[in-house]
Amino acid sequence: MASKIYSLDTNAILRVILNDIPEQRDIVTLLISRRHDYFRIHDLAVSETIYVLERQEHMSRSELCQKLAFFLKFPSILYNSDIID
């Protein structure tokens, strides 16, 4: 099976981190758990995620870093040096 590369936006990242809409979190988690697909995360989506978590969710910097790092370590997530063309 050939791998495909998709993009995830800020909302998808926030749904997983915040679990504020469990149905959407489950869908995103299922997608990024697929073995043969990859999901590109652009810097802008990460920046927007940080902004929302700090400013609107009042998350501490250490908690934010921990949660974002956990998300970006999914094997299917491509970010910065992991980007393949």
Side-chain angles (χ1 to χ4, degrees):
M1 176 182 277
S3 295
K4 293 185 179 182
I5 300 175
Y6 302 95
S7 291
L8 288 181
D9 66 2
T10 305
N11 289 316
I13 300 168
L14 288 170
R15 296 300 69 86
V16 172
I17 290 175
L18 295 174
N19 194 22
D20 54 348
I21 306 173
E23 301 83 19
Q24 291 183 12
R25 180 192 189 277
D26 293 345
I27 291 168
V28 175
T29 302
L30 179 66
L31 286 172
I32 63 177
S33 297
R34 295 193 306 200
R35 294 178 1 164
H36 298 292
D37 293 329
Y38 293 95
F39 298 87
R40 186 182 310 245
I41 306 290
H42 292 280
D43 291 342
L44 181 59
V46 173
S47 296
E48 291 173 342
T49 299
I50 291 168
Y51 178 85
V52 169
L53 294 177
E54 279 187 330
R55 300 297 171 102
Q56 295 179 347
E57 297 297 322
H58 307 292
M59 192 174 288
S60 71
R61 186 63 61 99
S62 65
E63 183 181 12
L64 183 159
C65 290
Q66 180 183 20
K67 290 181 182 280
L68 191 56
F70 174 79
F71 181 82
L72 293 175
K73 287 183 181 175
F74 271 86
S76 62
I77 299 295
L78 302 175
Y79 179 70
N80 280 346
S81 63
D82 296 331
I83 300 294
I84 56 175
D85 292 311

